[in-house]
Amino acid sequence: MYMTKLSVNINKIATLRNSRGGDVPNLVQFAKDVQNFGAQGVTIHPRPDERHIRYKDVYDLKPVVYTEYNIEGNPIKQFIDMVLEVKPTQVTLVPDAEDAITSNAGWDTIKHKDFLKDVIKEFKQNGIRTSIFVDPDLKQIEGAKATGTDRIELYTEAFAHHYNLGNEMAIKPYTECAILASSLGLGINAGHDLSLDNIKFFKDNIPDLLEVSIGHALISESLYLGIENVINMYLHRLK
């Protein structure tokens, strides 16, 4: 059975640190620890207002992330320049509004095809794997293929919400999109509101799922269970 990689989004650790203005908890040490505990990647999402991950963090983390380094964000010029300089394993393009609390929609890959195509081409020429955040819509998957991206990241909030209400059929559009993406040669990532409660069901129903990026739920669960335990619980469910 193929094991899906777990990338831990550490934005919430930066939020906690920033709330006191110091360096506790230490973001770099936390990134080292989650990898030592078994996480196969570290994800960060710097935003222009630096309310959690600061641009300086992006550079500070580069030497210590020895697994997969995934940087998410809206490809404004500052973001593009930073990613080209840092050269992470993967860049995930997210159409965030600057005032968004968290990511809340995927790309319209048809409307923004030319823009995405140009940005993705530049990243790929610099040896950076590309992924774009998309809603579970077959037309958007086809549109993603036309941009030249290596992967898509399925935006899983709708699944998580409906699954929590007892509706297992909420997985159906995701399964269909994953099958289409695989047939088009696109790699499949997923993220947003995935948790210990829903991750096994999601994984079992998404063929060829390469990677999940999990932050808010994982950090919240760790308040009760401890970060090392929680990472191992996710790894067990992702087998």
Side-chain angles (χ1 to χ4, degrees):
M1 177 70 76
Y2 180 82
M3 181 163 180
T4 302
K5 287 184 176 179
L6 171 67
S7 187
V8 176
N9 184 317
I10 59 174
N11 281 15
K12 280 292 180 292
I13 301 304
T15 303
L16 193 57
R17 173 199 64 187
N18 296 353
S19 70
R20 289 294 291 266
D23 197 29
V24 178
N26 183 280
L27 195 74
V28 169
Q29 185 59 48
F30 195 83
K32 291 179 183 176
D33 289 339
V34 296
Q35 293 172 98
N36 291 339
F37 296 152
Q40 296 115 335
V42 173
T43 291
I44 57 171
H45 188 147
R47 287 184 164 90
D49 63 6
E50 299 188 291
R51 65 178 179 269
H52 36 64
I53 295 292
R54 298 171 181 148
Y55 276 80
K56 181 179 182 296
D57 294 329
V58 180
Y59 295 91
D60 290 347
L61 288 164
K62 170 69 173 173
V64 303
V65 180
Y66 59 85
T67 54
E68 294 208 347
Y69 194 12
N70 176 43
I71 302 179
E72 300 179 340
N74 193 336
I76 58 174
K77 186 179 187 305
Q78 183 184 12
F79 179 86
I80 291 171
D81 291 346
M82 177 192 66
V83 171
L84 290 173
E85 196 174 340
V86 173
K87 287 188 168 59
T89 319
Q90 176 175 269
V91 58
T92 301
L93 306 181
V94 182
D96 278 341
E98 290 196 15
D99 60 351
I101 293 174
T102 186
S103 306
N104 55 19
W107 284 97
D108 183 333
T109 57
I110 299 159
K111 180 179 178 182
H112 298 289
K113 174 188 165 184
D114 292 339
F115 170 69
L116 289 168
K117 201 170 181 178
D118 289 345
V119 172
I120 287 165
K121 183 179 179 183
E122 189 169 13
F123 287 139
K124 289 176 73 170
Q125 284 175 342
N126 282 270
I128 304 165
R129 188 174 75 223
T130 58
S131 178
I132 53 179
F133 201 56
V134 293
D135 295 316
D137 179 301
L138 295 174
K139 288 182 180 175
Q140 297 302 333
I141 307 301
E142 290 170 352
K145 176 63 178 177
T147 67
T149 190
D150 299 302
R151 297 187 182 185
I152 56 165
E153 179 174 334
L154 291 169
Y155 172 39
T156 50
E157 183 185 26
F159 157 74
H161 174 72
H162 289 287
Y163 182 81
N164 189 47
L165 297 175
N167 179 14
E168 293 189 350
M169 288 305 292
I171 196 69
K172 189 169 182 276
Y174 293 87
T175 304
E176 290 172 349
C177 284
I179 291 167
L180 175 60
S182 287
S183 74
L184 295 173
L186 292 170
I188 302 159
N189 298 341
H192 207 92
D193 288 349
L194 295 175
S195 68
L196 285 174
D197 290 336
N198 61 33
I199 190 65
K200 186 177 189 316
F201 182 84
F202 186 81
K203 150 78 177 177
D204 289 347
N205 286 278
I206 303 297
D208 305 315
L209 180 62
L210 297 174
E211 176 184 294
V212 291
S213 172
I214 306 179
H216 183 80
L218 187 150
I219 301 303
S220 300
E221 290 153 351
S222 298
L223 292 174
Y224 287 91
L225 302 169
I227 188 70
E228 184 173 7
N229 287 336
V230 167
I231 286 174
N232 279 288
M233 291 166 81
Y234 273 100
L235 295 177
H236 180 71
R237 286 161 171 76
L238 288 167
K239 283 180 181 174

